[in-house]
Amino acid sequence: VSYEGILLDITERKQAETALAKREKQYSLLFKQSSDAIFLVNTETGQYLDANAAAEQLVGRPVSEIIKLSTSDITPNDSEKRLSQIGEIDTGIDLGEVEYIRPDGTKRLALLNVMPLYDNLVYGIALDITERRQTQDDLVASEEKYRTLTENIKVGIYRSTIDPNGR
């Protein structure tokens, strides 16, 4: 009885597979756990292919619903313009402020950055700035109200700070 065979050392291939699996797990965790909304979008159709939990919060819809929609459904203002702009990039791009519309009609404002992947796919990363913008708007309104009051008042105003040391 005799046997013939070939031995093939697959150690490097197995190490590469293990390293790839580890990287995939790391990126999957980053995607799922990010506090920024992350969307995977097809630039030819505008179709959402995936989204994380923060994206669900931003748009007020579950991922199962988001992936049935396109960018024109959720961010209708200038959606086509953004898609054509994205289609021409080969590096990341800051698209600035984008308005997201929820199913109940409320609007959320986010800063959107887009990174191209491959085969007309991009990642969009959106930072919700709705509350920040509202706070800024409230502050501007308050300052304007104070300025109008002080400029139009008919009596003198004196402002003083009492020093805790009595000075």
Side-chain angles (χ1 to χ4, degrees):
V1 176
S2 72
Y3 292 100
E4 286 186 33
I6 299 173
L7 292 176
L8 183 60
D9 185 358
I10 59 169
T11 305
E12 285 183 23
R13 185 173 73 193
K14 287 295 184 184
Q15 288 172 340
E17 288 173 0
T18 302
L20 179 61
K22 183 178 177 181
R23 279 194 305 275
E24 285 177 358
K25 185 176 180 180
Q26 289 170 336
Y27 287 121
S28 176
L29 245 147
L30 176 65
F31 178 81
K32 290 176 184 174
Q33 307 261 331
S34 176
S35 59
D36 290 339
I38 302 176
F39 302 93
L40 179 63
V41 177
N42 179 315
T43 58
E44 286 186 343
T45 63
Q47 185 77 31
Y48 290 101
L49 303 175
D50 201 0
N52 67 355
E56 290 179 321
Q57 290 291 332
L58 177 64
V59 302
R61 304 168 192 258
V63 172
S64 60
E65 189 177 329
I66 293 171
I67 62 174
K68 294 176 184 173
L69 301 172
S70 70
T71 56
S72 61
D73 298 316
I74 296 176
T75 60
N77 299 337
D78 296 326
S79 177
E80 295 301 320
K81 179 182 172 188
R82 278 192 308 277
L83 281 175
S84 68
Q85 193 177 6
I86 292 167
E88 299 170 4
I89 63 170
D90 56 1
T91 61
I93 184 172
D94 176 4
L95 293 176
E97 295 178 356
V98 176
E99 189 174 71
Y100 290 80
I101 300 179
R102 291 178 162 185
D104 64 3
T106 59
K107 298 174 182 177
R108 304 295 293 179
L109 190 62
L111 295 175
L112 180 62
N113 287 286
V114 177
M115 276 73 54
L117 293 172
Y118 54 87
D119 297 334
N120 300 310
L121 297 179
V122 294
Y123 268 124
I125 301 176
L127 172 63
D128 189 344
I129 60 167
T130 307
E131 283 80 19
R132 182 190 320 171
R133 175 55 60 84
Q134 185 61 51
T135 300
Q136 288 172 339
D137 292 348
D138 291 348
L139 180 60
V140 167
S142 176
E143 288 173 345
E144 182 62 31
K145 184 177 174 182
Y146 180 73
R147 183 177 16 267
T148 301
L149 176 67
T150 58
E151 288 173 355
N152 295 315
I153 197 160
K154 306 239 187 261
V155 295
I157 296 177
Y158 178 73
R159 184 174 175 202
S160 175
T161 303
I162 297 177
D163 186 338
N165 297 324
R167 293 185 240 165

